[in-house]
Amino acid sequence: MRTLIEALKTHNYRYYVLDNPILEDSEYDQLRRSLLELEEAYPDLIQPDSPINQVGDIPLSAFTQVTHDIPMLSLGNVFDYDDLHGFMRRVNDRLSDAQQNPEYEMELKLDGLAVSLKYENGHYAQAVTRGDGQTGEDITQNAKTIRNLPLYLRDAKDIDLLEVRGEVLMPKAGFERLNRLAEDKGEKTFANPRNAAAGSLRQLDPAIAASRPLAFYAYSVNQGLPDSFDKIDTQSAALAWLGDLGFTVSAVEVIANPRAAQTYYESMIETRDDLPFEIDGMVIKVNSLSLQQQLGFLSREPRWATAYKFPAETVMTRLQAIEWQVGRTGQITPVGKLEPVKVGGVTVSNVTLHNFGEIERLDVRAGDMVSVHRAGDVIPKISRVWHDQRLETSEPVALPSTCPVCESPVILPEDEALARCSGGLFCPAQQTEALIHFVSRRAMDIDGLGERWLISFFKQGLVKTVADIYDLHQHTEEMITFEKLGEKSVQNIIEAIEASKKTTLARFIYALGIRGVGEGTAQNFAQQFGDLDSLMAADMDALIATPDVGTITAELAHEFFRAPHNIEVINSLIEAGVHWDKVEQKSSSDLPLDGQTWVITGALSSMARDEAKAKLQALGAKVSGSISAKTTALLAGEKAGSKMAKAEKLGVKVVGEDEFLGLVRE
Ligand code: IVH
């Protein structure tokens, strides 16, 4: 029976706390059944900590109020390193010289509900919520069903009364499962794991609480710490002792100074997302229990501990306006203008709204209260719109019918989510965006000619196209007259422009700002064609044969190099002296399919066509869009049509998917 109990406890812990079970449900049930059978056969041997016991009793009609022996207080907060220093200084101020700069201990600030547990002679006796701090609700039946909560502590049977406090929480994975289940049944979902844990403990029927994935993490011993154990004189030792008794305790770090506290705090900001449950900060406590006693409390907070909160990741604010921005390639994107707020430690005043569809999905309007979420470094997003607080005067958002900058009609291509200005390079917004892109670090890298000056020069008519940048040296007198732009800065700009003339073919292609051609594609084009003239002259087939270039990008590039305006700009740039070293094309002669040209047709069952194309290219083959006598092989999937007929007619070898897979696997 003991072996089964220990095994069940281990598996409960893995399942409910770590969310990492190693048994199948049926295997677990079998262990449980075996224990139950033994308990039925030998009732007088039933162990007090048997998990079979761990189900609640009958439903209650109401919770009883219980007054705490010792009030359950809350914690003060600090939000940054200065605050933390201040907290430690206030601790020092109350200590004698010899006691100054005490050791501290740091714990996770678990985002759940504070609960006080009582054990009488080692037996679980009572669980009470924090309530108002003085009086809470008796949730003994519900808490009993928490699988990692020990019901019997053998090593504490000599302690008449042990009071342990800690946090009840719902691990993230369990929370998501619970919500999915609720969703499937069309029931209400919980907003976050904390609410779900609270809702579960507030159930009058313990059977419901029992079905919820809850866990208990102990963080303090409030009564019954054995005096005889003089080695338990610190918070960290007290938690270690609770761990020995069978409680789950959160990670603990003992630190000597504010720097070390800061380092640990920052490392936890990095790893918090990897934890199985949510935390909203760290708790920092004076480690010595006698110093804690000496420091005491100030109104409702201990002087010896504080919460070092993480920057909030979600905050509420008002969406003041929705503006439309025109990008380099004419895409018109909505940008939300917020009443500025701090999220995750930085002030934000803009949020991305992606596209018109996103506005419809969120059903958001200018003037709405919104929750703004920022995780990691990503640009903040609206996670929720508070429709119940909507202003009566607000109106639904409409997609503008004309470009907000040049008033050309807006087009909404069927296959694209984004609306576009049809003005092309006639649109000043597209012109300036093209300039900004051209000088950017990863393109021509013209340091010093920042966005601000570029826009001013554009407005003054000094630059219109990217080629005009290389004529700026003829306008230095005018440039100097610009506010805040002294002779020295102008000199720097001119030098940076001069220096940018030596570049690489890949950077140059990227700088041209061809739609769909990012840095990677620009590099591939440079590798594939080796020089600009070949790229400009390339037909669709040749363009598509470039690694990672699909039909759409090939078409956009093909079109770009056919527009007289673009050719003119490119020629001016070259005439102005923009140049690059010859591209060293990597030799592919060692690759097995070097010199071969393949065509793909039909549907492949094992991968997408792009993937097959990439695999062929990796082996050295060129992949073309159409069959000719020069084609080496046709890779034909299901429902291959006219290309198949043509291959047969031209005597081009046809390769089936299986044969192809064998080839790429070799
Ligand atoms: S110690 C005198 N340790 O935070 C109060 N509290 O904001 C001592 N909490 O009500 C509390 N994790 O529910 C402590 N490791 C931890 C904690 C923790 C979460 C909660 C607790 C408390 C609230 C205060």
Side-chain angles (χ1 to χ4, degrees), residues 609-624:
R609 270 171 54 172
D610 279 353
E611 232 176 298
K613 179 178 164 185
K615 287 204 190 303
L616 287 168
Q617 285 167 338
L619 293 174
K622 288 194 173 181
V623 179
S624 166

Side-chain angles (χ1 to χ4, degrees), residues 73-75 107-110 113-114 130 167 219 283 285 297 302 304:
L73 303 175
S74 64
L75 289 170
E107 297 167 19
L108 305 177
K109 187 167 188 309
L110 308 154
L113 292 102
R130 178 171 181 274
E167 204 83 350
Y219 56 62
V283 181
K285 302 177 180 174
F297 296 82
W304 44 265

Side-chain angles (χ1 to χ4, degrees), residues 40 66 185 311 345 430 498 527 530 541-542 547 564 583 605 608 631:
E40 279 165 3
V66 177
K185 289 196 225 151
Q430 294 188 48
E498 192 55 35
Q527 258 300 315
D541 272 357
V583 177
S605 61
T631 309

